[in-house]
Structure formats: C-alpha cells, structure tokens
Amino acid sequence: MGNVIASTADVESSRGRVHVSAGLRSPEATEYSAGMPPQMVEALRAEVGMSELANPGTVEELHSRCRDIQANTFEGAKIMLNKGLSNHFQVTHTINMNSAGPSGYRFGATYVGTKQYGPNEAFPVLLGEIDPMGNLNANVIHQLTSRLRCKFASQFQDSKLVATQLTGDYRGRDYTVSLTMGNPGILTGSGVIVCQYLQSVTNRLALGSELAYQYGANLPGRQVAVLSAVGRYAVGDSVWSCTLGPAGFHLSYYQKASDQLQIGVEVETNLRQQESTATVAYQVDLPKADLVFRGSLDSNWHISGVLEKRLQPLPFSLAISGRMNHLKNSFRLGCGLMIG
C-alpha cells in the first residue's frame, strides 16, 4: 500500500565499530596518529569511515529511484499558477481540461513551519487541495524528534471521509521501523496495518521485511496477513532493489550513467493473477538548455514521454506529455504551463 505522500529520506549519523564525537579525538586516534605519515593517517580515517553503517531509509523508498525517472503522463491541457505569499506559505491554482478524466479548477495551499532538522527540511508541513465540489485531499508531515517522523493523509469526497492513512517512521542509526494504519474503522471493525523494518547489513546491503495485516467482515476468516522480504544492494551509482512475497515479486534496477543520463528497469509480477509487467525508463537532463526529458516503455507496449522546459528568463515552465500504444491504436497528448 503506497503512501499518499512520499517521505523524504534524510541520512542520519551512522553507527560503527569506532565512534568519535564531533570536535573530539579519541585517545586511540591520538596515540596511533603521532609520528605517522599524513597519508597513512588519512587512509586509516577513511577505513574507519567506510566501516560505519548509515541509515538505510524506509521500505517505501526502495524502488523510488527507478520510479522517479519514469514518465508521469497526463492528457489534455493543464495550467498551474504557484504564488508564494511568504517564506512559509504558498498557494496553487490549477486548471485541468481533458475528456478522459474530471476537468475543472483546484485550489491548493502549502504551509512549511520553522522547525528545522536539516538545511533543506522544515516542519511541520501542511498540504491541501480542494475543488469547487468540496472534494479535499489533506496531508500533514511533522518531525516530532530527530528520529521520529509522522505523516497523516486524508481524502474527502461528497462531504464524506473516504480514506485516511497514518504513518510513523523511526530512523535509528542503521535501521528504520515504519508503522502504517490505513482506514482504521473503530465502529466498522475494519482496516489495514502495515509494519516495515529495514536494516543496514553492510555499507552496500540492506535487508528487511514487511508485514501487512488486514481485518474486516468482508474478508475470509475476517482477517488476512501477508509477510514479504525486502532488500537493496547499492554499489557506486547502481542500486538493485527487491520485494518478494507469496503473491509475487517486485524487482528494480537503477543506474546513473552520467550527470545527464539515468536509466531504470523494473519488473512487477503477480503470481495469483498470472501477470507480469516489465518497464524500461530513462531520464535526460540538459542543465544548459533548462530541459528534462523522461521516457519509458513497458511490456504492454505503452510508450510514454514527458518533456519539461524552463522558459528563461520568464518564470514559466512548459510540459509536453505523450502516451501511445500501437496494439490498441491509442494516443494521448497533454500540454501544460506552470507559472511561478
């Protein structure tokens, strides 16, 4: 079950066999560094740093690198206006016009608090989006402590609460524990609980597990539980990720070929439905041209591409989206303009 808002990963201080506080030198380091060549001292320090284990992030982020470079297409025309009212508050006006989905106007607001745990992160974060019919999506992200982060998401349709999700992530020195509750119904006796654990085994390998538990009157035996194993192996600019469970498996590979090119391959298999989908995606960044292109091709012969171009010196961004399938003889085109 995917989160409504993807959590941002922040790498915390890691645990190793040798730990030296910032600004202090241990007696062992002082003893062995005295009289040693500077090159040997630097080599020893590098070896100690490599032996330390970093926080592996969350299980939800295992396949994020491969997913981020895939083309997220849209259809029709889209106009988005972003207006910053202050350093902490921003509003968004969006107009969608297409024949395949709901069209109309949506108003969004974002508030970022003053509590900082990093140079690029401030909490709490409040996000909301509403349309003229009263359909609302609301999200709250807050960092309670330096290691504990909570996220709450809700969705209202036709003046009724249709979906809620509460997630808590605890990031240790070399592990992360996450607990998610989806649509908990106290009166109806139904809901979903997902518990995830990811541990750094080495600097390159992280292993963990995921337990999903669903209960309700409509389920056989009124409850069902699924246990899955997860893993990630990262070396250099390459990342291998895997999720393996009784219902299927999810494999992904990400490679940063250069500063301009990123490549990803993903395979998702559902053993119960006897279905499998493979996707190849890539992203091309041209900073000098202020241009980003994302393209993807899957085994169902869907060809997708999104081109984003910054129109300097104006604060405009142009997005052109295309998606086609030769077997189904279908083609969808979208054009968007983002201001601000």
Side-chain angles (χ1 to χ4, degrees), residues 286-335:
L286 300 177
K288 294 184 179 180
D290 293 320
L291 186 144
V292 177
F293 180 80
R294 297 181 180 90
S296 59
L297 169 66
D298 62 22
S299 56
N300 296 321
W301 299 107
H302 287 111
I303 304 174
S304 306
V306 176
L307 174 68
E308 298 179 4
K309 168 67 176 178
R310 187 76 176 176
L311 304 179
Q312 298 287 1
L314 300 175
F316 295 166
S317 294
L318 177 66
I320 300 177
S321 169
R323 180 181 177 92
M324 65 183 304
N325 190 308
H326 290 286
L327 297 180
K328 297 181 180 180
N329 195 24
S330 64
F331 176 74
R332 295 181 179 181
L333 179 65
C335 182

mmCIF file of all heavy atoms in Angstrom, residues 286-335:
data_model
loop_
_atom_site.group_PDB
_atom_site.id
_atom_site.type_symbol
_atom_site.label_atom_id
_atom_site.label_comp_id
_atom_site.label_asym_id
_atom_site.label_seq_id
_atom_site.Cartn_x
_atom_site.Cartn_y
_atom_site.Cartn_z
ATOM 1 N N LEU A 286 19.464 18.210 -19.292
ATOM 2 C CA LEU A 286 20.327 19.149 -20.015
ATOM 3 C C LEU A 286 20.266 20.490 -19.289
ATOM 4 O O LEU A 286 19.428 21.350 -19.616
ATOM 5 C CB LEU A 286 19.874 19.300 -21.466
ATOM 6 C CG LEU A 286 19.884 18.016 -22.310
ATOM 7 C CD1 LEU A 286 19.348 18.281 -23.701
ATOM 8 C CD2 LEU A 286 21.281 17.412 -22.364
ATOM 9 N N PRO A 287 21.118 20.677 -18.282
ATOM 10 C CA PRO A 287 21.031 21.907 -17.470
ATOM 11 C C PRO A 287 21.246 23.176 -18.275
ATOM 12 O O PRO A 287 20.595 24.198 -18.019
ATOM 13 C CB PRO A 287 22.136 21.709 -16.421
ATOM 14 C CG PRO A 287 22.410 20.243 -16.392
ATOM 15 C CD PRO A 287 22.161 19.773 -17.781
ATOM 16 N N LYS A 288 22.148 23.147 -19.250
ATOM 17 C CA LYS A 288 22.415 24.351 -20.029
ATOM 18 C C LYS A 288 21.206 24.767 -20.864
ATOM 19 O O LYS A 288 21.026 25.960 -21.150
ATOM 20 C CB LYS A 288 23.627 24.134 -20.927
ATOM 21 C CG LYS A 288 24.930 23.953 -20.163
ATOM 22 C CD LYS A 288 26.108 23.838 -21.110
ATOM 23 C CE LYS A 288 27.418 23.690 -20.338
ATOM 24 N NZ LYS A 288 28.585 23.586 -21.254
ATOM 25 N N ALA A 289 20.391 23.797 -21.241
ATOM 26 C CA ALA A 289 19.190 24.097 -22.012
ATOM 27 C C ALA A 289 17.949 24.192 -21.134
ATOM 28 O O ALA A 289 16.841 24.413 -21.659
ATOM 29 C CB ALA A 289 18.976 23.037 -23.084
ATOM 30 N N ASP A 290 18.094 24.006 -19.796
ATOM 31 C CA ASP A 290 16.964 24.015 -18.868
ATOM 32 C C ASP A 290 15.891 23.031 -19.321
ATOM 33 O O ASP A 290 14.695 23.343 -19.347
ATOM 34 C CB ASP A 290 16.365 25.427 -18.738
ATOM 35 C CG ASP A 290 17.322 26.393 -18.073
ATOM 36 O OD1 ASP A 290 17.995 25.990 -17.122
ATOM 37 O OD2 ASP A 290 17.404 27.554 -18.528
ATOM 38 N N LEU A 291 16.315 21.821 -19.670
ATOM 39 C CA LEU A 291 15.409 20.827 -20.236
ATOM 40 C C LEU A 291 15.582 19.488 -19.533
ATOM 41 O O LEU A 291 16.711 19.065 -19.255
ATOM 42 C CB LEU A 291 15.673 20.681 -21.733
ATOM 43 C CG LEU A 291 14.736 19.786 -22.547
ATOM 44 C CD1 LEU A 291 14.530 20.376 -23.934
ATOM 45 C CD2 LEU A 291 15.315 18.372 -22.680
ATOM 46 N N VAL A 292 14.453 18.825 -19.257
ATOM 47 C CA VAL A 292 14.429 17.490 -18.668
ATOM 48 C C VAL A 292 13.442 16.640 -19.467
ATOM 49 O O VAL A 292 12.298 17.054 -19.699
ATOM 50 C CB VAL A 292 14.019 17.516 -17.183
ATOM 51 C CG1 VAL A 292 13.937 16.097 -16.624
ATOM 52 C CG2 VAL A 292 14.994 18.351 -16.368
ATOM 53 N N PHE A 293 13.900 15.463 -19.896
ATOM 54 C CA PHE A 293 13.033 14.545 -20.635
ATOM 55 C C PHE A 293 13.019 13.195 -19.931
ATOM 56 O O PHE A 293 14.065 12.652 -19.579
ATOM 57 C CB PHE A 293 13.511 14.359 -22.071
ATOM 58 C CG PHE A 293 12.643 13.417 -22.871
ATOM 59 C CD1 PHE A 293 11.453 13.855 -23.422
ATOM 60 C CD2 PHE A 293 13.005 12.091 -23.045
ATOM 61 C CE1 PHE A 293 10.641 12.993 -24.141
ATOM 62 C CE2 PHE A 293 12.203 11.217 -23.761
ATOM 63 C CZ PHE A 293 11.018 11.679 -24.310
ATOM 64 N N ARG A 294 11.805 12.656 -19.734
ATOM 65 C CA ARG A 294 11.620 11.326 -19.150
ATOM 66 C C ARG A 294 10.849 10.467 -20.134
ATOM 67 O O ARG A 294 9.826 10.890 -20.665
ATOM 68 C CB ARG A 294 10.861 11.410 -17.822
ATOM 69 C CG ARG A 294 11.583 12.178 -16.729
ATOM 70 C CD ARG A 294 10.762 12.196 -15.440
ATOM 71 N NE ARG A 294 11.436 12.919 -14.377
ATOM 72 C CZ ARG A 294 11.291 14.218 -14.148
ATOM 73 N NH1 ARG A 294 10.470 14.930 -14.923
ATOM 74 N NH2 ARG A 294 11.934 14.801 -13.153
ATOM 75 N N GLY A 295 11.341 9.265 -20.363
ATOM 76 C CA GLY A 295 10.689 8.346 -21.277
ATOM 77 C C GLY A 295 10.637 6.948 -20.701
ATOM 78 O O GLY A 295 11.479 6.569 -19.872
ATOM 79 N N SER A 296 9.650 6.163 -21.116
ATOM 80 C CA SER A 296 9.508 4.795 -20.607
ATOM 81 C C SER A 296 8.787 3.937 -21.646
ATOM 82 O O SER A 296 8.001 4.430 -22.455
ATOM 83 C CB SER A 296 8.733 4.782 -19.288
ATOM 84 O OG SER A 296 7.444 5.341 -19.444
ATOM 85 N N LEU A 297 9.071 2.637 -21.576
ATOM 86 C CA LEU A 297 8.463 1.631 -22.443
ATOM 87 C C LEU A 297 8.241 0.386 -21.610
ATOM 88 O O LEU A 297 9.172 -0.103 -20.970
ATOM 89 C CB LEU A 297 9.372 1.337 -23.636
ATOM 90 C CG LEU A 297 8.994 0.114 -24.504
ATOM 91 C CD1 LEU A 297 7.672 0.368 -25.213
ATOM 92 C CD2 LEU A 297 10.106 -0.196 -25.510
ATOM 93 N N ASP A 298 6.991 -0.145 -21.609
ATOM 94 C CA ASP A 298 6.708 -1.343 -20.828
ATOM 95 C C ASP A 298 6.345 -2.503 -21.753
ATOM 96 O O ASP A 298 6.221 -2.345 -22.972
ATOM 97 C CB ASP A 298 5.605 -1.091 -19.790
ATOM 98 C CG ASP A 298 4.276 -0.708 -20.413
ATOM 99 O OD1 ASP A 298 4.053 -1.019 -21.598
ATOM 100 O OD2 ASP A 298 3.453 -0.095 -19.711
ATOM 101 N N SER A 299 6.174 -3.678 -21.140
ATOM 102 C CA SER A 299 5.913 -4.892 -21.909
ATOM 103 C C SER A 299 4.506 -4.927 -22.489
ATOM 104 O O SER A 299 4.206 -5.796 -23.320
ATOM 105 C CB SER A 299 6.132 -6.121 -21.017
ATOM 106 O OG SER A 299 5.332 -6.050 -19.852
ATOM 107 N N ASN A 300 3.616 -4.028 -22.080
ATOM 108 C CA ASN A 300 2.294 -3.911 -22.683
ATOM 109 C C ASN A 300 2.301 -2.960 -23.884
ATOM 110 O O ASN A 300 1.236 -2.584 -24.370
ATOM 111 C CB ASN A 300 1.281 -3.416 -21.649
ATOM 112 C CG ASN A 300 1.095 -4.408 -20.519
ATOM 113 O OD1 ASN A 300 1.080 -5.622 -20.730
ATOM 114 N ND2 ASN A 300 0.949 -3.905 -19.305
ATOM 115 N N TRP A 301 3.500 -2.557 -24.317
ATOM 116 C CA TRP A 301 3.722 -1.697 -25.479
ATOM 117 C C TRP A 301 3.175 -0.289 -25.281
ATOM 118 O O TRP A 301 2.745 0.352 -26.239
ATOM 119 C CB TRP A 301 3.140 -2.330 -26.751
ATOM 120 C CG TRP A 301 3.774 -3.635 -27.082
ATOM 121 C CD1 TRP A 301 3.234 -4.872 -26.948
ATOM 122 C CD2 TRP A 301 5.108 -3.841 -27.577
ATOM 123 N NE1 TRP A 301 4.126 -5.841 -27.328
ATOM 124 C CE2 TRP A 301 5.293 -5.225 -27.721
ATOM 125 C CE3 TRP A 301 6.156 -2.965 -27.904
ATOM 126 C CZ2 TRP A 301 6.480 -5.769 -28.181
ATOM 127 C CZ3 TRP A 301 7.339 -3.514 -28.366
ATOM 128 C CH2 TRP A 301 7.482 -4.902 -28.501
ATOM 129 N N HIS A 302 3.209 0.171 -24.023
ATOM 130 C CA HIS A 302 2.899 1.566 -23.757
ATOM 131 C C HIS A 302 4.192 2.374 -23.865
ATOM 132 O O HIS A 302 5.167 2.103 -23.161
ATOM 133 C CB HIS A 302 2.295 1.742 -22.362
ATOM 134 C CG HIS A 302 0.895 1.238 -22.248
ATOM 135 N ND1 HIS A 302 0.562 0.124 -21.508
ATOM 136 C CD2 HIS A 302 -0.259 1.685 -22.791
ATOM 137 C CE1 HIS A 302 -0.734 -0.091 -21.586
ATOM 138 N NE2 HIS A 302 -1.265 0.843 -22.357
ATOM 139 N N ILE A 303 4.202 3.359 -24.729
ATOM 140 C CA ILE A 303 5.344 4.255 -24.912
ATOM 141 C C ILE A 303 4.965 5.620 -24.355
ATOM 142 O O ILE A 303 3.980 6.221 -24.807
ATOM 143 C CB ILE A 303 5.742 4.362 -26.392
ATOM 144 C CG1 ILE A 303 6.028 2.968 -26.974
ATOM 145 C CG2 ILE A 303 6.949 5.266 -26.567
ATOM 146 C CD1 ILE A 303 6.296 2.967 -28.456
ATOM 147 N N SER A 304 5.726 6.102 -23.384
ATOM 148 C CA SER A 304 5.385 7.344 -22.703
ATOM 149 C C SER A 304 6.590 8.271 -22.696
ATOM 150 O O SER A 304 7.741 7.825 -22.655
ATOM 151 C CB SER A 304 4.933 7.080 -21.263
ATOM 152 O OG SER A 304 3.874 6.141 -21.214
ATOM 153 N N GLY A 305 6.305 9.563 -22.714
ATOM 154 C CA GLY A 305 7.362 10.562 -22.656
ATOM 155 C C GLY A 305 6.826 11.884 -22.142
ATOM 156 O O GLY A 305 5.691 12.268 -22.440
ATOM 157 N N VAL A 306 7.642 12.572 -21.347
ATOM 158 C CA VAL A 306 7.289 13.889 -20.814
ATOM 159 C C VAL A 306 8.503 14.797 -20.982
ATOM 160 O O VAL A 306 9.607 14.468 -20.542
ATOM 161 C CB VAL A 306 6.873 13.828 -19.335
ATOM 162 C CG1 VAL A 306 6.622 15.233 -18.795
ATOM 163 C CG2 VAL A 306 5.633 12.969 -19.164
ATOM 164 N N LEU A 307 8.293 15.944 -21.627
ATOM 165 C CA LEU A 307 9.337 16.934 -21.840
ATOM 166 C C LEU A 307 9.016 18.169 -21.008
ATOM 167 O O LEU A 307 7.915 18.722 -21.109
ATOM 168 C CB LEU A 307 9.433 17.307 -23.319
ATOM 169 C CG LEU A 307 10.393 18.444 -23.681
ATOM 170 C CD1 LEU A 307 11.827 18.016 -23.438
ATOM 171 C CD2 LEU A 307 10.198 18.881 -25.126
ATOM 172 N N GLU A 308 9.967 18.588 -20.168
ATOM 173 C CA GLU A 308 9.809 19.779 -19.343
ATOM 174 C C GLU A 308 10.903 20.780 -19.709
ATOM 175 O O GLU A 308 12.086 20.444 -19.684
ATOM 176 C CB GLU A 308 9.895 19.428 -17.856
ATOM 177 C CG GLU A 308 8.794 18.488 -17.396
ATOM 178 C CD GLU A 308 8.914 18.143 -15.925
ATOM 179 O OE1 GLU A 308 9.825 18.701 -15.267
ATOM 180 O OE2 GLU A 308 8.113 17.327 -15.439
ATOM 181 N N LYS A 309 10.472 21.988 -20.042
ATOM 182 C CA LYS A 309 11.379 23.030 -20.498
ATOM 183 C C LYS A 309 11.138 24.310 -19.715
ATOM 184 O O LYS A 309 10.017 24.805 -19.643
ATOM 185 C CB LYS A 309 11.174 23.280 -21.997
ATOM 186 C CG LYS A 309 11.846 24.527 -22.554
ATOM 187 C CD LYS A 309 13.370 24.438 -22.527
ATOM 188 C CE LYS A 309 13.988 25.659 -23.193
ATOM 189 N NZ LYS A 309 15.467 25.638 -23.160
ATOM 190 N N ARG A 310 12.209 24.824 -19.114
ATOM 191 C CA ARG A 310 12.138 26.092 -18.389
ATOM 192 C C ARG A 310 12.326 27.237 -19.377
ATOM 193 O O ARG A 310 13.331 27.289 -20.107
ATOM 194 C CB ARG A 310 13.229 26.142 -17.324
ATOM 195 C CG ARG A 310 13.145 27.347 -16.414
ATOM 196 C CD ARG A 310 12.050 27.204 -15.391
ATOM 197 N NE ARG A 310 12.028 28.323 -14.459
ATOM 198 C CZ ARG A 310 11.118 28.482 -13.516
ATOM 199 N NH1 ARG A 310 10.170 27.583 -13.374
ATOM 200 N NH2 ARG A 310 11.163 29.517 -12.706
ATOM 201 N N LEU A 311 11.352 28.149 -19.420
ATOM 202 C CA LEU A 311 11.376 29.244 -20.385
ATOM 203 C C LEU A 311 12.028 30.463 -19.748
ATOM 204 O O LEU A 311 11.366 31.372 -19.253
ATOM 205 C CB LEU A 311 9.948 29.567 -20.853
ATOM 206 C CG LEU A 311 9.163 28.392 -21.450
ATOM 207 C CD1 LEU A 311 7.771 28.835 -21.842
ATOM 208 C CD2 LEU A 311 9.901 27.809 -22.655
ATOM 209 N N GLN A 312 13.355 30.455 -19.746
ATOM 210 C CA GLN A 312 14.103 31.579 -19.185
ATOM 211 C C GLN A 312 14.043 32.785 -20.125
ATOM 212 O O GLN A 312 13.967 32.609 -21.343
ATOM 213 C CB GLN A 312 15.566 31.152 -18.958
ATOM 214 C CG GLN A 312 15.739 30.013 -17.974
ATOM 215 C CD GLN A 312 15.491 30.439 -16.544
ATOM 216 O OE1 GLN A 312 15.169 31.586 -16.263
ATOM 217 N NE2 GLN A 312 15.665 29.515 -15.618
ATOM 218 N N PRO A 313 14.054 34.029 -19.625
ATOM 219 C CA PRO A 313 14.150 34.408 -18.206
ATOM 220 C C PRO A 313 12.797 34.519 -17.508
ATOM 221 O O PRO A 313 12.720 34.963 -16.377
ATOM 222 C CB PRO A 313 14.820 35.774 -18.284
ATOM 223 C CG PRO A 313 14.300 36.356 -19.563
ATOM 224 C CD PRO A 313 14.138 35.198 -20.510
ATOM 225 N N LEU A 314 11.716 34.121 -18.187
ATOM 226 C CA LEU A 314 10.395 34.192 -17.582
ATOM 227 C C LEU A 314 10.224 33.066 -16.564
ATOM 228 O O LEU A 314 10.813 31.985 -16.720
ATOM 229 C CB LEU A 314 9.315 34.094 -18.665
ATOM 230 C CG LEU A 314 9.332 35.179 -19.751
ATOM 231 C CD1 LEU A 314 8.282 34.878 -20.800
ATOM 232 C CD2 LEU A 314 9.113 36.547 -19.127
ATOM 233 N N PRO A 315 9.405 33.272 -15.547
ATOM 234 C CA PRO A 315 9.174 32.211 -14.547
ATOM 235 C C PRO A 315 8.147 31.194 -15.030
ATOM 236 O O PRO A 315 7.200 30.857 -14.315
ATOM 237 C CB PRO A 315 8.678 33.005 -13.332
ATOM 238 C CG PRO A 315 7.977 34.174 -13.917
ATOM 239 C CD PRO A 315 8.725 34.527 -15.180
ATOM 240 N N PHE A 316 8.332 30.709 -16.265
ATOM 241 C CA PHE A 316 7.402 29.760 -16.859
ATOM 242 C C PHE A 316 8.114 28.434 -17.108
ATOM 243 O O PHE A 316 9.315 28.390 -17.392
ATOM 244 C CB PHE A 316 6.837 30.282 -18.186
ATOM 245 C CG PHE A 316 5.987 31.520 -18.059
ATOM 246 C CD1 PHE A 316 5.667 32.259 -19.190
ATOM 247 C CD2 PHE A 316 5.510 31.939 -16.832
ATOM 248 C CE1 PHE A 316 4.889 33.395 -19.084
ATOM 249 C CE2 PHE A 316 4.735 33.078 -16.711
ATOM 250 C CZ PHE A 316 4.429 33.802 -17.838
ATOM 251 N N SER A 317 7.331 27.345 -17.036
ATOM 252 C CA SER A 317 7.816 26.011 -17.396
ATOM 253 C C SER A 317 6.783 25.362 -18.295
ATOM 254 O O SER A 317 5.585 25.343 -17.968
ATOM 255 C CB SER A 317 8.055 25.146 -16.155
ATOM 256 O OG SER A 317 9.102 25.665 -15.371
ATOM 257 N N LEU A 318 7.238 24.830 -19.414
ATOM 258 C CA LEU A 318 6.367 24.179 -20.384
ATOM 259 C C LEU A 318 6.546 22.671 -20.284
ATOM 260 O O LEU A 318 7.671 22.170 -20.253
ATOM 261 C CB LEU A 318 6.688 24.657 -21.798
ATOM 262 C CG LEU A 318 5.903 24.000 -22.936
ATOM 263 C CD1 LEU A 318 4.429 24.359 -22.848
ATOM 264 C CD2 LEU A 318 6.477 24.412 -24.293
ATOM 265 N N ALA A 319 5.432 21.943 -20.231
ATOM 266 C CA ALA A 319 5.455 20.482 -20.158
ATOM 267 C C ALA A 319 4.622 19.907 -21.289
ATOM 268 O O ALA A 319 3.461 20.309 -21.485
ATOM 269 C CB ALA A 319 4.916 19.996 -18.811
ATOM 270 N N ILE A 320 5.205 18.978 -22.040
ATOM 271 C CA ILE A 320 4.515 18.291 -23.125
ATOM 272 C C ILE A 320 4.554 16.799 -22.838
ATOM 273 O O ILE A 320 5.623 16.225 -22.612
ATOM 274 C CB ILE A 320 5.162 18.593 -24.490
ATOM 275 C CG1 ILE A 320 5.124 20.096 -24.773
ATOM 276 C CG2 ILE A 320 4.461 17.829 -25.602
ATOM 277 C CD1 ILE A 320 5.807 20.488 -26.060
ATOM 278 N N SER A 321 3.379 16.169 -22.821
ATOM 279 C CA SER A 321 3.263 14.761 -22.459
ATOM 280 C C SER A 321 2.651 13.971 -23.605
ATOM 281 O O SER A 321 1.747 14.457 -24.301
ATOM 282 C CB SER A 321 2.387 14.616 -21.196
ATOM 283 O OG SER A 321 2.047 13.272 -20.965
ATOM 284 N N GLY A 322 3.168 12.764 -23.813
ATOM 285 C CA GLY A 322 2.632 11.882 -24.849
ATOM 286 C C GLY A 322 2.632 10.441 -24.403
ATOM 287 O O GLY A 322 3.560 9.991 -23.718
ATOM 288 N N ARG A 323 1.572 9.706 -24.766
ATOM 289 C CA ARG A 323 1.461 8.289 -24.419
ATOM 290 C C ARG A 323 0.730 7.580 -25.550
ATOM 291 O O ARG A 323 -0.361 8.002 -25.955
ATOM 292 C CB ARG A 323 0.696 8.102 -23.103
ATOM 293 C CG ARG A 323 0.544 6.652 -22.662
ATOM 294 C CD ARG A 323 -0.244 6.579 -21.370
ATOM 295 N NE ARG A 323 -0.478 5.220 -20.923
ATOM 296 C CZ ARG A 323 0.306 4.552 -20.104
ATOM 297 N NH1 ARG A 323 1.391 5.136 -19.626
ATOM 298 N NH2 ARG A 323 0.040 3.331 -19.731
ATOM 299 N N MET A 324 1.324 6.505 -26.060
ATOM 300 C CA MET A 324 0.722 5.798 -27.180
ATOM 301 C C MET A 324 0.893 4.299 -27.031
ATOM 302 O O MET A 324 1.793 3.813 -26.329
ATOM 303 C CB MET A 324 1.345 6.264 -28.501
ATOM 304 C CG MET A 324 2.817 5.937 -28.664
ATOM 305 S SD MET A 324 3.513 6.594 -30.199
ATOM 306 C CE MET A 324 2.421 5.882 -31.413
ATOM 307 N N ASN A 325 -0.015 3.561 -27.690
ATOM 308 C CA ASN A 325 0.009 2.108 -27.711
ATOM 309 C C ASN A 325 -0.370 1.651 -29.110
ATOM 310 O O ASN A 325 -1.505 1.858 -29.558
ATOM 311 C CB ASN A 325 -0.966 1.528 -26.675
ATOM 312 C CG ASN A 325 -0.799 0.034 -26.492
ATOM 313 O OD1 ASN A 325 -0.810 -0.728 -27.458
ATOM 314 N ND2 ASN A 325 -0.640 -0.396 -25.252
ATOM 315 N N HIS A 326 0.593 1.039 -29.822
ATOM 316 C CA HIS A 326 0.350 0.642 -31.203
ATOM 317 C C HIS A 326 -0.662 -0.499 -31.282
ATOM 318 O O HIS A 326 -1.481 -0.546 -32.213
ATOM 319 C CB HIS A 326 1.665 0.216 -31.864
ATOM 320 C CG HIS A 326 2.604 1.354 -32.109
ATOM 321 N ND1 HIS A 326 2.413 2.273 -33.105
ATOM 322 C CD2 HIS A 326 3.737 1.734 -31.468
ATOM 323 C CE1 HIS A 326 3.380 3.169 -33.093
ATOM 324 N NE2 HIS A 326 4.218 2.868 -32.111
ATOM 325 N N LEU A 327 -0.642 -1.424 -30.320
ATOM 326 C CA LEU A 327 -1.565 -2.556 -30.373
ATOM 327 C C LEU A 327 -3.005 -2.113 -30.184
ATOM 328 O O LEU A 327 -3.918 -2.630 -30.845
ATOM 329 C CB LEU A 327 -1.174 -3.589 -29.316
ATOM 330 C CG LEU A 327 0.205 -4.249 -29.477
ATOM 331 C CD1 LEU A 327 0.446 -5.247 -28.349
ATOM 332 C CD2 LEU A 327 0.319 -4.926 -30.832
ATOM 333 N N LYS A 328 -3.235 -1.181 -29.291
ATOM 334 C CA LYS A 328 -4.596 -0.698 -29.036
ATOM 335 C C LYS A 328 -4.967 0.498 -29.909
ATOM 336 O O LYS A 328 -6.103 0.999 -29.818
ATOM 337 C CB LYS A 328 -4.736 -0.318 -27.566
ATOM 338 C CG LYS A 328 -4.540 -1.492 -26.613
ATOM 339 C CD LYS A 328 -4.719 -1.046 -25.164
ATOM 340 C CE LYS A 328 -4.530 -2.221 -24.219
ATOM 341 N NZ LYS A 328 -4.699 -1.815 -22.795
ATOM 342 N N ASN A 329 -4.023 0.959 -30.710
ATOM 343 C CA ASN A 329 -4.269 2.084 -31.599
ATOM 344 C C ASN A 329 -4.778 3.301 -30.818
ATOM 345 O O ASN A 329 -5.790 3.922 -31.185
ATOM 346 C CB ASN A 329 -5.269 1.700 -32.697
ATOM 347 C CG ASN A 329 -5.273 2.702 -33.840
ATOM 348 O OD1 ASN A 329 -4.291 3.419 -34.060
ATOM 349 N ND2 ASN A 329 -6.385 2.768 -34.568
ATOM 350 N N SER A 330 -4.080 3.634 -29.766
ATOM 351 C CA SER A 330 -4.485 4.757 -28.918
ATOM 352 C C SER A 330 -3.315 5.725 -28.759
ATOM 353 O O SER A 330 -2.151 5.326 -28.791
ATOM 354 C CB SER A 330 -4.938 4.271 -27.537
ATOM 355 O OG SER A 330 -3.867 3.665 -26.835
ATOM 356 N N PHE A 331 -3.671 6.998 -28.602
ATOM 357 C CA PHE A 331 -2.671 8.042 -28.421
ATOM 358 C C PHE A 331 -3.267 9.156 -27.571
ATOM 359 O O PHE A 331 -4.414 9.570 -27.778
ATOM 360 C CB PHE A 331 -2.220 8.604 -29.778
ATOM 361 C CG PHE A 331 -1.249 9.748 -29.655
ATOM 362 C CD1 PHE A 331 0.065 9.516 -29.292
ATOM 363 C CD2 PHE A 331 -1.667 11.050 -29.882
ATOM 364 C CE1 PHE A 331 0.953 10.568 -29.174
ATOM 365 C CE2 PHE A 331 -0.775 12.105 -29.768
ATOM 366 C CZ PHE A 331 0.536 11.868 -29.408
ATOM 367 N N ARG A 332 -2.483 9.615 -26.602
ATOM 368 C CA ARG A 332 -2.923 10.689 -25.718
ATOM 369 C C ARG A 332 -1.825 11.750 -25.659
ATOM 370 O O ARG A 332 -0.646 11.423 -25.503
ATOM 371 C CB ARG A 332 -3.220 10.172 -24.304
ATOM 372 C CG ARG A 332 -4.404 9.206 -24.248
ATOM 373 C CD ARG A 332 -4.669 8.739 -22.838
ATOM 374 N NE ARG A 332 -5.807 7.836 -22.762
ATOM 375 C CZ ARG A 332 -6.265 7.300 -21.625
ATOM 376 N NH1 ARG A 332 -5.664 7.589 -20.477
ATOM 377 N NH2 ARG A 332 -7.305 6.501 -21.647
ATOM 378 N N LEU A 333 -2.249 12.995 -25.757
ATOM 379 C CA LEU A 333 -1.320 14.107 -25.766
ATOM 380 C C LEU A 333 -1.742 15.125 -24.712
ATOM 381 O O LEU A 333 -2.936 15.387 -24.537
ATOM 382 C CB LEU A 333 -1.287 14.775 -27.143
ATOM 383 C CG LEU A 333 -0.359 15.984 -27.309
ATOM 384 C CD1 LEU A 333 1.091 15.559 -27.140
ATOM 385 C CD2 LEU A 333 -0.592 16.658 -28.642
ATOM 386 N N GLY A 334 -0.766 15.666 -24.014
ATOM 387 C CA GLY A 334 -1.044 16.672 -23.000
ATOM 388 C C GLY A 334 -0.053 17.817 -23.089
ATOM 389 O O GLY A 334 1.106 17.636 -23.484
ATOM 390 N N CYS A 335 -0.521 18.996 -22.718
ATOM 391 C CA CYS A 335 0.319 20.184 -22.727
ATOM 392 C C CYS A 335 0.014 20.988 -21.475
ATOM 393 O O CYS A 335 -1.155 21.240 -21.152
ATOM 394 C CB CYS A 335 0.060 21.009 -23.977
ATOM 395 S SG CYS A 335 1.107 22.478 -24.102
#
